[in-house]
Amino acid sequence: MLERIYSYLSYLAIPLIRLYLLKRVRDGKEDASRLRERFGFSPHTFEKGKKQVWLHGASVGESLSLLPLINHLNTLYPDVHFVITSGTLASYNVLRTKLPPNTVHQYVPLDIKPWVMRFLKNVNPILVIVTESEVWPNMIFSCREKNIPIYLINARLGEESAKGWGKFPEFARQVYSGFRGIFAQSIEHQQRFYRFTDKPVVVMPNLKFAAPPLHVDTEDFEKLHQALSLRKIFIGASTHQGEEDILIRSYLRLKKDIPNLLLILAPRHMHRINTVISLIQSAGLSFSQRSNGHIPQDNTDVFLFDTMGELGLGYALSDVAIVCGSFVPHIGGHNPIEPAQLGKCTFHGPYMETPKDILEHLEGSLIQVSEDNIDGALAFYLSHPKNAAEVGDMALQGVLAKKDSLKEFVRFSEKHLGPIQTSSEISHENARFLV
């Protein structure tokens, strides 16, 4: 009954949803040429009889975390094809050059049942995998109706979200029980999921530990590293409103004692670039924009990374990496594995609710700072490169210790995809755990 009510109410909301999509197009957050995909239409042709797996991640981080799993399954099942969906322009801009073989991307249909059913009819997947907290009722109900197994992996359910679902416990149980299985990021999340489902909830290592390091263009790195070899550099990565101010003020205070200091700013959202430029100019600082291809000069204060897919380069150039989205509330912090994989001394702010399980695994190798003490921490590690390198190496070793997390996800796929199809020179047992 509640399922029907939700589907009916979402159907009534279609006129508002269409207006919302048009607004997103005007704001540059939606690709007008691919808007039909949001209604369940596919730009791809899928051969009948081909095994298709649908994987969904909301935005950049979630989508990227699925690529190692696709690569892994691709190795074991070379005849299986994969459709990865996401919901943001930024995710596609990053994914389009990284798609594994036998994999296509399209935007996820919005959670209106006829649109989801249209997508399922087009793709006809034999298995659906969604990641983290992407829980859309009509997607789940439609998969169940068509008897398509759907799993939630890398799953997290925050306390606030659990309280929200708890206001509609019967509906929540209908939704979460639609998953054949849930792979939770931690025991804490596992216990919250058990409030709403009697299906298996298994604790698995975070899939992001298995992701390859961020891409660093070797030629660009060598050129910039040589030009900036005499600078002390720290990066504010994936900054949000309010965080650039904190980092700029810290830079101004530190520069008095570290005259060769350079701040790299990499805003999370490109549409904020002009706002960030205004902040830099208001502080009286000089800057270079990465998009212009200019190499920062000796007197450049800020190197603004206003490009997509180059965060790895920014991390590689830096002596200290600051993971942002963590100095202001309600964002939850971004992925500290990315700088740790590059062996960087990594800072984060006090608001790191989202990657809490990652912090627990990397405990002692990441440095929490606040607006009040960031100056002292930066001054110490920028001035003591040996200490910074030791902290960075500790973080790297922590990531490597969890690198084999992919093998945990193979067991559930085999019963849906069939016997492993990998080449004969790799034994069945070794292939099962190949990363």
Side-chain angles (χ1 to χ4, degrees):
M1 182 64 178
L2 292 174
E3 175 183 335
R4 292 181 187 175
I5 292 173
Y6 176 84
S7 297
Y8 180 69
L9 291 176
S10 61
Y11 189 82
L12 291 179
I14 286 178
L16 293 176
I17 291 172
R18 290 183 183 275
L19 290 174
Y20 168 71
L21 284 174
L22 290 174
K23 182 179 184 303
R24 283 178 58 84
V25 169
R26 288 197 300 270
D27 293 342
K29 297 179 179 180
E30 204 81 33
D31 186 343
S33 67
R34 297 181 60 181
L35 206 57
R36 281 169 52 86
E37 295 170 37
R38 297 301 231 153
F39 307 130
F41 294 100
S42 179
H44 310 289
T45 300
F46 301 100
E47 292 183 41
K48 288 186 177 180
K50 289 280 188 182
K51 290 183 178 179
Q52 306 283 349
V53 175
W54 173 21
L55 304 98
H56 174 63
S59 192
V60 176
E62 297 90 339
S63 301
L64 287 175
S65 73
L66 290 170
L67 295 185
L69 179 58
I70 296 175
N71 275 314
H72 186 47
L73 292 175
N74 213 337
T75 301
L76 305 181
Y77 297 97
D79 293 337
V80 174
H81 291 242
F82 303 88
V83 179
I84 184 169
T85 60
S86 61
T88 66
L89 272 173
S91 60
Y92 171 66
N93 287 331
V94 173
L95 285 172
R96 61 182 176 180
T97 59
K98 303 177 184 295
L99 290 177
N102 297 337
T103 305
V104 295
H105 170 273
Q106 72 177 77
Y107 290 109
V108 68
L110 295 179
D111 200 45
I112 306 298
K113 192 166 185 180
W115 301 351
V116 176
M117 293 294 278
R118 180 185 291 144
F119 175 89
L120 291 174
K121 182 179 179 181
N122 289 335
V123 177
N124 193 27
I126 61 171
L127 174 65
V128 178
I129 301 170
V130 297
T131 185
E132 299 209 12
S133 55
E134 280 294 279
V135 178
W136 293 105
N138 279 325
M139 176 194 291
I140 297 165
F141 298 151
S142 298
C143 286
R144 186 183 63 199
E145 186 175 319
K146 294 180 72 67
N147 198 31
I148 301 170
I150 179 170
Y151 290 84
L152 182 62
I153 69 172
N154 230 28
R156 56 186 172 86
L157 181 62
E159 187 57 43
E160 290 301 312
S161 295
K163 288 178 181 176
W165 283 107
K167 295 175 182 178
F168 310 95
E170 185 180 343
F171 182 64
R173 277 189 285 272
Q174 288 183 12
V175 171
Y176 282 103
S177 294
F179 290 109
R180 294 282 181 92
I182 296 175
F183 297 87
Q185 292 183 6
S186 68
I187 294 175
E188 185 180 2
H189 290 290
Q190 179 192 46
Q191 295 307 312
R192 293 195 190 110
F193 282 118
Y194 271 136
R195 299 179 198 175
F196 307 115
T197 182
D198 55 2
K199 297 291 178 65
V201 181
V202 181
V203 177
M204 294 289 188
N206 195 306
L207 197 60
K208 290 177 181 176
F209 282 106
L214 293 178
H215 173 71
V216 179
D217 184 278
T218 304
E219 185 177 339
D220 285 344
F221 172 76
E222 292 297 337
K223 187 188 306 180
L224 287 165
H225 181 62
Q226 183 176 357
L228 302 173
S229 61
L230 299 179
R231 306 294 297 268
K232 295 290 186 181
I233 305 172
F234 71 100
I235 181 174
S238 298
T239 56
H240 292 256
Q241 183 176 350
E243 295 185 311
E244 294 93 3
D245 299 270
I246 293 171
L247 298 177
I248 287 171
R249 288 196 296 268
S250 182
Y251 173 85
L252 287 168
R253 292 189 294 264
L254 289 168
K255 189 173 170 62
K256 297 173 185 177
D257 297 317
I258 310 175
N260 62 337
L261 190 62
L262 176 67
L263 166 61
I264 295 178
L265 282 179
R268 179 71 170 181
H269 302 295
M270 292 299 107
H271 68 269
R272 296 188 57 247
I273 289 298
N274 289 335
T275 300
V276 176
I277 289 174
S278 295
L279 290 172
I280 296 169
Q281 292 174 328
S282 297
L285 299 176
S286 60
F287 68 98
S288 292
Q289 290 178 249
R290 172 66 184 148
S291 61
N292 292 336
H294 297 155
I295 294 177
Q297 302 302 303
D298 291 343
N299 62 346
T300 301
D301 296 304
V302 180
F303 193 10
L304 182 60
F305 266 51
D306 54 347
T307 52
M308 294 295 298
E310 290 199 308
L311 189 57
L313 176 62
Y315 279 138
L317 292 169
S318 302
D319 301 296
V320 173
I322 304 176
V323 177
C324 292
S326 61
F327 290 88
V328 291
H330 311 305
I331 296 168
H334 295 301
N335 183 7
I337 293 175
E338 293 172 342
Q341 282 179 315
L342 297 174
K344 294 299 172 179
C345 177
T346 301
F347 291 9
H348 62 82
Y351 302 104
M352 285 285 278
E353 296 84 5
T354 299
K356 189 175 179 181
D357 66 303
I358 296 173
L359 298 189
E360 291 172 357
H361 287 304
L362 299 180
E363 186 176 4
S365 63
L366 304 177
I367 299 168
Q368 179 174 319
V369 295
S370 67
E371 187 174 358
D372 295 330
N373 64 11
I374 190 173
D375 292 2
L378 279 170
F380 177 81
Y381 285 104
L382 288 170
S383 302
H384 295 80
K386 184 177 179 181
N387 295 88
E390 288 174 352
V391 172
D393 185 64
M394 194 187 310
L396 173 59
Q397 296 308 314
V399 173
L400 293 177
K402 294 289 182 181
K403 199 71 175 174
D404 64 349
S405 60
L406 279 181
K407 68 183 183 183
E408 305 287 355
F409 295 95
V410 174
R411 295 187 182 95
F412 81 88
S413 64
E414 194 168 1
K415 62 183 176 183
H416 302 297
L417 300 181
I420 290 173
Q421 304 164 6
T422 192
S423 57
S424 58
E425 64 267 20
I426 301 176
S427 72
H428 181 90
E429 187 62 23
N430 288 335
R432 178 192 296 272
F433 299 114
L434 182 65
V435 176

